[in-house]
Coordinates of all heavy atoms in Angstrom, one line a residue:
M1 N 165.8 41.8 123.0 CA 165.1 43.1 122.5 C 164.9 44.0 123.8 O 164.6 43.6 124.8 CB 163.7 42.9 121.9 CG 163.7 42.3 120.5 SD 162.0 42.6 120.0 CE 162.4 42.9 118.2
N2 N 165.2 45.3 123.4 CA 165.1 46.3 124.5 C 163.5 46.6 124.4 O 162.8 46.9 123.5 CB 165.7 47.5 124.1 CG 167.2 47.4 124.5 OD1 167.6 46.6 125.1 ND2 168.0 48.4 124.0
A3 N 163.1 46.6 125.8 CA 161.6 47.1 126.0 C 161.7 48.6 126.3 O 162.5 49.2 126.9 CB 161.1 46.4 127.2
H4 N 160.7 49.2 125.5 CA 160.7 50.6 125.6 C 159.3 51.0 126.3 O 158.4 50.3 126.2 CB 160.6 51.4 124.1 CG 161.8 51.2 123.4 ND1 163.0 51.9 123.6 CD2 162.1 50.4 122.4 CE1 163.9 51.5 122.8 NE2 163.4 50.6 122.0
P5 N 159.3 52.1 127.0 CA 158.0 52.4 127.7 C 157.1 52.8 126.6 O 157.3 53.0 125.5 CB 158.3 53.8 128.4 CG 159.6 54.2 128.0 CD 160.3 53.2 127.2
P6 N 155.8 52.5 126.9 CA 154.7 52.7 125.9 C 154.7 54.1 125.4 O 154.9 55.1 126.1 CB 153.5 52.1 126.5 CG 153.6 52.1 127.8 CD 155.2 52.0 128.1
H7 N 154.4 54.3 124.1 CA 154.2 55.6 123.6 C 152.7 56.1 123.8 O 151.9 55.2 124.0 CB 154.5 55.6 122.1 CG 156.0 55.2 121.8 ND1 156.4 55.1 120.6 CD2 157.0 55.2 122.6 CE1 157.7 54.8 120.6 NE2 158.1 54.9 121.9
Q8 N 152.4 57.3 123.7 CA 151.0 57.8 123.9 C 150.1 57.2 122.9 O 149.0 57.0 123.3 CB 151.1 59.3 123.6 CG 150.6 60.0 124.9 CD 150.7 61.6 124.6 OE1 151.2 62.0 123.5 NE2 150.2 62.3 125.5
S9 N 150.6 56.7 121.7 CA 149.6 56.3 120.7 C 149.4 54.8 121.0 O 148.4 54.3 120.4 CB 150.3 56.4 119.3 OG 151.4 55.5 119.3
H10 N 150.1 54.0 121.9 CA 149.8 52.6 122.1 C 148.4 52.3 122.4 O 147.9 51.2 121.9 CB 150.9 52.0 123.1 CG 152.3 52.0 122.4 ND1 153.4 51.3 123.1 CD2 152.7 52.2 121.1 CE1 154.4 51.4 122.3 NE2 154.0 52.0 121.2
P11 N 147.8 52.9 123.5 CA 146.5 52.5 123.8 C 145.5 52.5 122.6 O 144.6 51.7 122.5 CB 146.0 53.5 124.9 CG 147.3 54.0 125.5 CD 148.3 53.9 124.4
A12 N 145.6 53.6 121.8 CA 144.7 53.8 120.6 C 145.1 52.7 119.6 O 144.1 52.1 119.0 CB 144.8 55.0 120.0
I13 N 146.2 52.2 119.5 CA 146.6 51.2 118.6 C 146.1 49.8 119.0 O 145.6 49.1 118.2 CB 148.3 51.1 118.4 CG1 148.7 52.4 117.6 CG2 148.6 49.8 117.6 CD1 150.2 52.5 117.6
V14 N 146.1 49.6 120.2 CA 145.7 48.4 120.9 C 144.2 48.3 120.7 O 143.7 47.2 120.2 CB 146.1 48.3 122.4 CG1 145.3 47.1 123.1 CG2 147.5 48.0 122.7
K15 N 143.4 49.4 120.9 CA 142.0 49.5 120.7 C 141.7 49.2 119.3 O 140.7 48.4 118.9 CB 141.5 50.9 121.2 CG 140.0 51.0 121.1 CD 139.6 52.4 121.6 CE 138.2 52.6 121.5 NZ 137.8 53.9 121.9
R16 N 142.4 49.7 118.3 CA 142.2 49.6 116.9 C 142.4 48.1 116.6 O 141.6 47.5 115.8 CB 143.1 50.5 116.1 CG 142.9 50.3 114.7 CD 144.0 51.1 113.9 NE 143.8 52.4 114.2 CZ 143.4 53.5 113.5 NH1 142.8 53.2 112.3 NH2 143.6 54.8 113.9
L17 N 143.4 47.5 117.1 CA 143.7 46.0 116.7 C 142.7 45.1 117.4 O 142.3 44.1 116.7 CB 145.2 45.8 117.2 CG 146.2 46.3 116.3 CD1 147.6 46.0 117.0 CD2 146.3 45.8 115.0
K18 N 142.3 45.5 118.6 CA 141.2 44.6 119.1 C 139.9 44.7 118.3 O 139.3 43.7 118.1 CB 140.8 45.0 120.5 CG 142.0 44.5 121.7 CD 141.6 44.9 123.0 CE 142.8 44.5 124.0 NZ 142.6 44.9 125.4
R19 N 139.6 45.9 117.8 CA 138.4 46.0 117.1 C 138.6 45.2 115.7 O 137.7 44.5 115.3 CB 138.1 47.5 116.8 CG 136.8 47.8 116.3 CD 136.4 49.3 116.2 NE 137.6 50.2 115.8 CZ 138.1 51.1 116.5 NH1 137.8 51.2 117.9 NH2 139.2 51.8 116.2
A20 N 139.7 45.3 115.1 CA 140.1 44.7 113.9 C 140.0 43.0 114.1 O 139.5 42.4 113.4 CB 141.5 45.1 113.3
G21 N 140.5 42.7 115.3 CA 140.4 41.2 115.7 C 139.0 40.7 115.7 O 138.6 39.7 115.2
G22 N 138.2 41.6 116.4 CA 136.6 41.2 116.4 C 136.1 41.2 115.1 O 135.3 40.3 114.7
H23 N 136.5 42.3 114.2 CA 135.9 42.3 113.0 C 136.3 41.1 112.1 O 135.6 40.4 111.4 CB 136.4 43.6 112.2 CG 135.6 44.0 111.1 ND1 135.5 45.4 110.8 CD2 134.7 43.3 110.4 CE1 134.7 45.5 109.8 NE2 134.2 44.3 109.5
L24 N 137.7 40.6 112.3 CA 138.2 39.4 111.5 C 137.4 38.1 111.9 O 137.0 37.4 111.0 CB 139.7 39.3 111.8 CG 140.3 38.1 111.0 CD1 140.2 38.3 109.5 CD2 141.8 38.1 111.4
Q25 N 137.0 38.1 113.2 CA 136.2 37.0 113.7 C 134.8 37.0 113.0 O 134.5 35.9 112.5 CB 136.0 36.9 115.1 CG 135.3 35.7 115.8 CD 136.1 34.5 115.4 OE1 137.4 34.4 115.5 NE2 135.3 33.5 114.9
S26 N 134.4 38.2 112.8 CA 133.1 38.3 112.1 C 133.1 37.8 110.6 O 132.3 37.1 110.1 CB 132.6 39.7 112.1 OG 132.2 40.1 113.5
V27 N 134.3 38.1 110.0 CA 134.5 37.8 108.6 C 134.7 36.3 108.4 O 134.1 35.5 107.6 CB 135.9 38.4 108.0 CG1 136.3 37.8 106.8 CG2 135.7 39.9 107.9
I28 N 135.3 35.6 109.5 CA 135.3 34.1 109.5 C 134.0 33.5 109.5 O 133.7 32.6 108.8 CB 136.3 33.6 110.6 CG1 137.8 34.1 110.4 CG2 136.3 32.1 110.8 CD1 138.7 33.9 111.6
E29 N 133.2 34.0 110.4 CA 131.8 33.5 110.5 C 131.0 33.7 109.3 O 130.2 33.0 108.8 CB 131.1 34.2 111.6 CG 131.7 33.9 113.1 CD 131.0 34.6 114.1 OE1 130.0 35.4 114.1 OE2 131.7 34.6 115.3
M30 N 131.3 34.9 108.6 CA 130.7 35.1 107.3 C 131.0 33.9 106.1 O 130.2 33.6 105.5 CB 131.1 36.5 106.6 CG 130.6 37.6 107.4 SD 131.2 39.4 106.8 CE 130.4 39.3 105.2
I31 N 132.4 33.7 106.3 CA 132.8 32.6 105.3 C 132.1 31.3 105.6 O 131.7 30.6 104.7 CB 134.3 32.5 105.3 CG1 135.1 33.9 104.7 CG2 134.8 31.2 104.7 CD1 136.5 34.0 104.9
E32 N 132.2 31.1 107.0 CA 131.6 29.8 107.4 C 130.1 29.6 107.0 O 129.5 28.5 106.9 CB 131.9 29.6 108.9 CG 133.3 29.3 109.3 CD 133.6 29.2 110.7 OE1 132.8 29.8 111.5 OE2 134.7 28.7 111.0
T33 N 129.4 30.8 107.1 CA 127.9 30.7 106.9 C 127.7 31.0 105.4 O 126.5 31.2 105.0 CB 127.2 31.8 107.8 OG1 127.7 33.1 107.5 CG2 127.3 31.3 109.2
E34 N 128.7 31.0 104.5 CA 128.6 31.1 103.0 C 128.0 32.4 102.5 O 127.1 32.4 101.7 CB 128.0 30.0 102.4 CG 128.7 28.6 102.8 CD 128.0 27.4 102.2 OE1 127.0 27.5 101.5 OE2 128.6 26.3 102.5
R35 N 128.3 33.5 103.2 CA 127.8 34.9 102.9 C 128.4 35.1 101.5 O 129.3 34.5 101.0 CB 128.3 35.9 103.9 CG 127.6 35.8 105.3 CD 126.3 36.5 105.2 NE 126.3 37.9 104.9 CZ 126.5 38.8 105.8 NH1 126.8 38.6 107.1 NH2 126.5 40.0 105.3
A36 N 127.9 36.2 100.8 CA 128.3 36.5 99.4 C 129.8 37.0 99.6 O 130.2 37.7 100.4 CB 127.5 37.7 99.0
C37 N 130.4 36.4 98.4 CA 132.0 36.8 98.3 C 132.3 38.4 98.3 O 133.1 38.8 99.0 CB 132.6 36.3 97.1 SG 132.6 34.4 97.3
L38 N 131.3 39.1 97.7 CA 131.5 40.5 97.7 C 131.4 41.1 99.0 O 132.4 42.0 99.5 CB 130.4 41.4 96.7 CG 130.5 42.9 96.7 CD1 131.8 43.2 96.2 CD2 129.3 43.3 95.9
D39 N 130.5 40.8 99.8 CA 130.4 41.2 101.4 C 131.7 40.8 102.1 O 132.2 41.6 102.8 CB 129.2 40.6 101.9 CG 127.8 41.1 101.4 OD1 127.8 42.1 100.7 OD2 126.8 40.4 101.5
I40 N 132.2 39.6 101.9 CA 133.2 39.1 102.6 C 134.5 39.9 102.2 O 135.2 40.4 103.0 CB 133.6 37.6 102.3 CG1 132.3 36.7 102.9 CG2 134.9 37.1 102.9 CD1 132.4 35.3 102.4
A41 N 134.7 40.1 100.9 CA 135.8 40.9 100.4 C 135.8 42.3 100.9 O 136.9 42.8 101.4 CB 135.8 41.0 98.9
Q42 N 134.7 43.0 101.1 CA 134.5 44.3 101.5 C 134.9 44.3 103.1 O 135.7 45.3 103.4 CB 133.1 44.9 101.5 CG 132.8 45.2 100.0 CD 131.2 45.5 99.7 OE1 130.4 45.0 100.6 NE2 131.0 46.4 98.9
Q43 N 134.5 43.4 103.7 CA 134.8 43.3 105.2 C 136.3 42.9 105.4 O 136.9 43.6 106.4 CB 133.9 42.3 106.1 CG 132.6 42.7 106.0 CD 132.3 44.0 106.5 OE1 132.7 44.5 107.5 NE2 131.5 44.8 105.8
L44 N 136.8 42.1 104.6 CA 138.3 41.8 104.8 C 139.2 43.0 104.4 O 140.2 43.3 105.0 CB 138.7 40.7 103.8 CG 138.5 39.3 104.2 CD1 138.7 38.2 103.2 CD2 139.3 39.0 105.4
H45 N 138.7 43.8 103.4 CA 139.4 45.0 103.0 C 139.4 45.8 104.3 O 140.5 46.6 104.6 CB 138.7 45.7 101.8 CG 139.3 47.1 101.4 ND1 140.5 47.1 100.8 CD2 138.9 48.3 101.5 CE1 140.8 48.3 100.6 NE2 139.8 49.0 101.0
A46 N 138.3 46.1 105.1 CA 138.2 47.0 106.1 C 139.1 46.5 107.3 O 139.9 47.3 107.8 CB 136.8 47.0 106.7
V47 N 139.2 45.2 107.5 CA 140.1 44.6 108.5 C 141.7 44.9 108.0 O 142.4 45.4 108.8 CB 140.0 43.1 108.7 CG1 141.1 42.5 109.5 CG2 138.5 42.8 109.2
E48 N 141.9 44.8 106.9 CA 143.2 45.0 106.1 C 143.6 46.4 106.4 O 144.8 46.7 106.9 CB 143.3 44.5 104.7 CG 144.6 44.6 104.1 CD 144.5 44.3 102.7 OE1 143.6 44.7 102.0 OE2 145.5 43.7 102.2
K49 N 142.8 47.3 106.1 CA 143.0 48.8 106.2 C 143.3 49.1 107.8 O 144.1 50.0 108.0 CB 141.9 49.7 105.6 CG 141.7 49.5 104.2 CD 142.9 49.9 103.3 CE 142.8 51.4 103.2 NZ 143.9 51.8 102.4
A50 N 142.5 48.6 108.6 CA 142.6 48.8 110.0 C 144.0 48.4 110.6 O 144.7 49.2 111.3 CB 141.5 48.2 110.8
I51 N 144.4 47.3 110.2 CA 145.7 46.7 110.6 C 146.9 47.5 110.0 O 147.9 47.9 110.7 CB 145.8 45.3 110.3 CG1 144.9 44.4 111.1 CG2 147.2 44.8 110.5 CD1 144.7 43.0 110.6
A52 N 146.7 47.9 108.8 CA 147.7 48.6 108.1 C 147.8 50.0 108.8 O 149.0 50.6 109.0 CB 147.5 48.8 106.6
Q53 N 146.8 50.7 109.2 CA 146.8 51.9 109.7 C 147.3 51.9 111.2 O 148.2 52.8 111.6 CB 145.4 52.6 109.9 CG 145.4 54.0 110.4 CD 146.1 54.9 109.6 OE1 146.1 55.0 108.5 NE2 146.9 55.8 110.3
A54 N 147.1 50.8 111.8 CA 147.7 50.6 113.2 C 149.3 50.4 113.0 O 150.0 51.1 113.8 CB 147.1 49.4 113.9
K55 N 149.7 49.7 112.1 CA 151.1 49.5 111.8 C 151.8 50.8 111.4 O 152.7 51.2 112.0 CB 151.3 48.5 110.7 CG 152.8 48.4 110.4 CD 153.1 47.3 109.2 CE 152.8 48.0 108.0 NZ 153.2 47.2 106.8
K56 N 151.1 51.6 110.6 CA 151.6 53.0 110.2 C 151.7 53.9 111.4 O 152.8 54.6 111.6 CB 150.8 53.5 109.2 CG 151.2 54.8 108.6 CD 150.3 55.2 107.5 CE 150.8 56.6 106.9 NZ 149.8 57.1 105.8
T57 N 150.8 53.9 112.3 CA 150.8 54.7 113.4 C 151.9 54.4 114.3 O 152.7 55.3 114.8 CB 149.3 54.7 114.2 OG1 148.4 55.1 113.3 CG2 149.4 55.5 115.3
L58 N 152.1 53.0 114.6 CA 153.1 52.6 115.4 C 154.4 52.9 115.0 O 155.3 53.4 115.7 CB 153.0 51.0 115.5 CG 154.1 50.4 116.4 CD1 153.8 50.6 117.9 CD2 154.2 48.9 116.1
I59 N 154.7 52.8 113.6 CA 156.1 53.0 113.1 C 156.3 54.5 113.0 O 157.5 54.9 113.5 CB 156.1 52.4 111.6 CG1 156.1 50.9 111.7 CG2 157.4 53.0 111.0 CD1 156.1 50.3 110.4
H60 N 155.4 55.3 112.8 CA 155.6 56.8 112.7 C 156.0 57.3 114.1 O 156.7 58.1 114.4 CB 154.5 57.4 112.0 CG 154.5 57.3 110.6 ND1 153.4 57.7 109.8 CD2 155.3 56.8 109.7 CE1 153.7 57.5 108.5 NE2 154.9 56.9 108.5
D61 N 155.0 56.8 115.0 CA 155.2 57.2 116.5 C 156.7 56.8 116.9 O 157.3 57.5 117.6 CB 154.0 56.6 117.3 CG 154.0 57.3 118.8 OD1 154.3 58.4 119.0 OD2 153.9 56.5 119.6
H62 N 156.9 55.5 116.7 CA 158.3 55.0 117.0 C 159.4 55.8 116.5 O 160.3 56.3 117.2 CB 158.5 53.5 116.7 CG 159.7 52.9 117.2 ND1 160.0 52.7 118.4 CD2 160.8 52.7 116.4 CE1 161.3 52.1 118.5 NE2 161.7 52.2 117.3
L63 N 159.4 56.1 115.1 CA 160.3 57.0 114.5 C 160.4 58.4 115.2 O 161.6 58.8 115.4 CB 160.1 57.2 112.9 CG 160.4 56.0 112.1 CD1 160.0 56.3 110.7 CD2 161.9 55.7 112.2
D64 N 159.3 59.0 115.4 CA 159.4 60.3 116.0 C 160.1 60.2 117.5 O 161.0 61.1 117.7 CB 157.9 60.8 116.2 CG 157.3 61.4 115.0 OD1 158.1 61.6 114.1 OD2 156.0 61.5 114.9
H65 N 159.7 59.2 118.2 CA 160.2 59.2 119.6 C 161.8 58.8 119.6 O 162.6 59.4 120.2 CB 159.4 58.1 120.5 CG 158.2 58.7 121.0 ND1 157.0 58.8 120.3 CD2 158.0 59.4 122.2 CE1 156.1 59.2 121.0 NE2 156.6 59.8 122.1
C66 N 162.0 57.8 118.8 CA 163.5 57.3 118.7 C 164.4 58.4 118.2 O 165.5 58.6 118.6 CB 163.6 56.0 118.0 SG 162.9 54.6 119.0
L67 N 163.9 59.1 117.1 CA 164.6 60.1 116.4 C 164.9 61.2 117.3 O 165.9 61.9 117.5 CB 164.1 60.5 115.1 CG 164.2 59.4 113.9 CD1 163.6 60.0 112.7 CD2 165.7 59.1 113.7
T68 N 163.9 61.6 118.1 CA 163.9 62.8 119.0 C 164.9 62.4 120.2 O 166.0 63.2 120.5 CB 162.7 63.1 119.7 OG1 161.7 63.4 118.6 CG2 162.7 64.0 120.7
D69 N 165.0 61.2 120.7 CA 165.9 60.8 121.7 C 167.3 60.7 121.2 O 168.2 61.0 121.9 CB 165.5 59.3 122.3 CG 164.2 59.4 123.1 OD1 163.7 60.6 123.5 OD2 163.7 58.4 123.3
A70 N 167.4 60.1 120.0 CA 168.7 59.9 119.4 C 169.4 61.2 118.9 O 170.6 61.3 118.9 CB 168.7 59.0 118.2
T71 N 168.6 62.2 118.7 CA 169.2 63.5 118.1 C 169.4 64.5 119.2 O 169.8 65.6 119.0 CB 168.4 64.1 116.9 OG1 167.0 64.3 117.5 CG2 168.4 63.1 115.9
D72 N 169.0 64.3 120.4 CA 169.2 65.3 121.6 C 170.7 65.6 121.6 O 171.6 64.7 121.7 CB 168.8 64.7 122.9 CG 167.3 64.8 123.0 OD1 166.7 65.5 122.3 OD2 166.7 64.1 123.9
G73 N 171.0 66.8 121.5 CA 172.5 67.3 121.6 C 173.3 67.2 120.4 O 174.5 67.4 120.4
I74 N 172.7 66.8 119.4 CA 173.4 66.6 118.1 C 173.6 68.0 117.4 O 172.9 68.9 117.6 CB 172.6 65.6 117.0 CG1 173.6 65.1 116.1 CG2 171.5 66.3 116.5 CD1 172.9 64.0 115.2
D75 N 174.7 68.1 116.5 CA 174.9 69.3 115.8 C 173.6 69.7 115.0 O 173.1 68.9 114.3 CB 176.1 69.0 114.8 CG 176.5 70.1 113.9 OD1 176.1 71.3 114.2 OD2 177.1 70.0 112.9
P76 N 173.1 70.9 115.1 CA 172.0 71.4 114.4 C 172.0 71.1 112.9 O 171.0 70.8 112.4 CB 171.9 72.9 114.8 CG 172.7 73.1 116.2 CD 173.7 72.0 116.0
A77 N 173.1 71.1 112.3 CA 173.3 71.0 110.8 C 173.0 69.6 110.5 O 172.2 69.2 109.5 CB 174.7 71.3 110.3
R78 N 173.4 68.6 111.3 CA 173.0 67.1 111.2 C 171.6 66.9 111.5 O 170.9 66.1 110.9 CB 173.9 66.4 112.0 CG 175.4 66.4 111.7 CD 175.7 65.8 110.4 NE 175.3 64.4 110.4 CZ 175.4 63.6 109.4 NH1 175.8 63.9 108.1 NH2 175.0 62.4 109.5
R79 N 171.1 67.7 112.5 CA 169.7 67.6 112.9 C 168.8 67.8 111.7 O 167.7 67.2 111.6 CB 169.4 68.3 114.1 CG 168.0 68.0 114.7 CD 167.8 68.8 115.9 NE 166.4 68.3 116.5 CZ 166.2 67.5 117.3 NH1 167.2 66.8 118.0 NH2 164.9 67.2 117.7
V80 N 169.1 68.9 111.0 CA 168.2 69.1 109.8 C 167.9 68.0 108.9 O 166.8 67.7 108.4 CB 168.8 70.4 109.0 CG1 168.0 70.4 107.7 CG2 168.8 71.5 109.8
E81 N 169.0 67.1 108.7 CA 168.8 65.9 107.8 C 168.0 64.9 108.5 O 167.1 64.4 107.9 CB 170.2 65.3 107.6 CG 171.2 66.2 106.8 CD 172.7 65.5 106.8 OE1 172.9 64.7 107.5 OE2 173.5 66.2 106.0
I82 N 167.9 64.8 109.7 CA 167.2 63.8 110.5 C 165.7 64.3 110.5 O 164.8 63.6 110.2 CB 167.7 63.6 111.9 CG1 169.1 62.8 111.7 CG2 166.8 62.8 112.7 CD1 169.8 62.7 113.1
D83 N 165.5 65.6 110.7 CA 164.3 66.1 110.6 C 163.6 65.9 109.2 O 162.4 65.7 109.1 CB 164.2 67.6 111.0 CG 164.5 67.8 112.4 OD1 164.3 66.8 113.2 OD2 164.8 68.9 112.9
E84 N 164.3 66.1 108.2 CA 163.9 65.8 106.9 C 163.5 64.5 106.7 O 162.5 64.1 106.0 CB 164.9 66.3 105.7 CG 165.1 67.9 105.6 CD 166.2 68.2 104.6 OE1 166.7 67.2 104.0 OE2 166.3 69.4 104.5
F85 N 164.2 63.5 107.2 CA 163.9 62.0 107.1 C 162.7 61.8 107.8 O 161.8 61.2 107.3 CB 165.1 61.2 107.7 CG 164.7 59.8 107.9 CD1 164.7 58.9 106.8 CD2 164.2 59.2 109.1 CE1 164.3 57.6 106.9 CE2 163.9 58.0 109.3 CZ 163.8 57.0 108.1
R86 N 162.4 62.4 109.0 CA 161.2 62.2 109.7 C 160.1 62.7 108.9 O 159.0 62.1 108.8 CB 161.3 62.9 111.0 CG 160.1 62.7 112.0 CD 160.2 63.6 113.3 NE 161.3 63.1 114.0 CZ 162.0 63.9 114.9 NH1 161.6 65.2 115.1 NH2 163.0 63.5 115.5
A87 N 160.1 63.8 108.2 CA 159.2 64.5 107.5 C 158.7 63.7 106.3 O 157.6 63.4 106.1 CB 159.4 65.9 107.1
I88 N 159.7 63.1 105.6 CA 159.4 62.3 104.3 C 158.8 60.9 104.7 O 158.1 60.4 104.1 CB 160.6 62.2 103.4 CG1 160.1 61.9 102.0 CG2 161.6 61.1 104.0 CD1 161.3 61.9 101.0
A89 N 159.2 60.4 106.0 CA 158.6 59.2 106.4 C 157.1 59.2 106.6 O 156.4 58.2 106.5 CB 159.3 58.7 107.6
K90 N 156.6 60.3 106.7 CA 155.1 60.5 107.0 C 154.4 60.0 105.7 O 153.2 59.7 105.8 CB 154.8 61.9 107.2 CG 155.3 62.4 108.6 CD 154.6 61.8 109.8 CE 155.2 62.4 111.1 NZ 154.9 61.7 112.2
Y91 N 155.1 60.0 104.5 CA 154.4 59.6 103.3 C 154.5 58.2 103.0 O 154.1 57.7 102.0 CB 155.0 60.4 102.1 CG 154.8 61.9 102.3 CD1 155.8 62.8 102.8 CD2 153.5 62.4 102.0 CE1 155.6 64.2 102.9 CE2 153.3 63.9 102.2 CZ 154.3 64.6 102.7 OH 154.1 66.0 102.9
L92 N 155.1 57.3 103.9 CA 155.2 55.9 103.6 C 153.9 55.3 103.9 O 153.1 55.7 104.7 CB 156.2 55.4 104.6 CG 157.7 55.8 104.4 CD1 158.6 55.1 105.4 CD2 158.1 55.2 102.9

């Protein structure tokens, strides 16, 4: 695999994932201490959302950087199609 230099968003993504990791450990403790299933489900949902947001941020940032690098010097007519792809990808 090619290693790419870190993007500007990477430190924030790492911070979010570390927070989610700590939160997940708390959820495990909640299960082990037999906390209410509703409380556990709510906390699992929060962990899941945090990880999904980190993934989304990583992918969108990667697309933005890679598409920008890949389209340098490309015919402006073709670049419009790539810019449209980048714009629609925000809705994923």
Side-chain angles (χ1 to χ4, degrees):
M1 282 193 145
N2 280 346
H4 296 283
H7 298 171
Q8 242 180 350
S9 65
H10 286 183
I13 292 169
V14 168
K15 185 177 178 180
R16 181 185 304 257
L17 290 173
K18 284 182 178 181
R19 191 169 43 246
H23 203 153
L24 183 57
Q25 187 59 43
S26 296
V27 172
I28 292 168
E29 291 171 11
M30 290 174 72
I31 293 169
E32 291 174 341
T33 59
E34 300 179 3
R35 293 273 304 270
C37 289
L38 177 59
D39 293 340
I40 295 168
Q42 288 172 332
Q43 296 307 311
L44 279 172
H45 180 72
V47 171
E48 183 180 43
K49 295 297 274 183
I51 292 170
Q53 186 60 43
K55 180 181 81 169
K56 183 178 178 180
T57 301
L58 178 79
I59 291 169
H60 286 170
D61 191 43
H62 182 74
L63 281 174
D64 283 344
H65 282 87
C66 289
L67 288 176
T68 298
D69 291 347
T71 58
D72 282 346
I74 198 169
D75 176 22
R78 297 290 301 175
R79 187 174 180 101
V80 169
E81 295 170 354
I82 293 169
D83 289 342
E84 286 178 2
F85 171 77
R86 184 183 300 152
I88 200 166
K90 298 287 184 196
Y91 296 102
L92 293 176

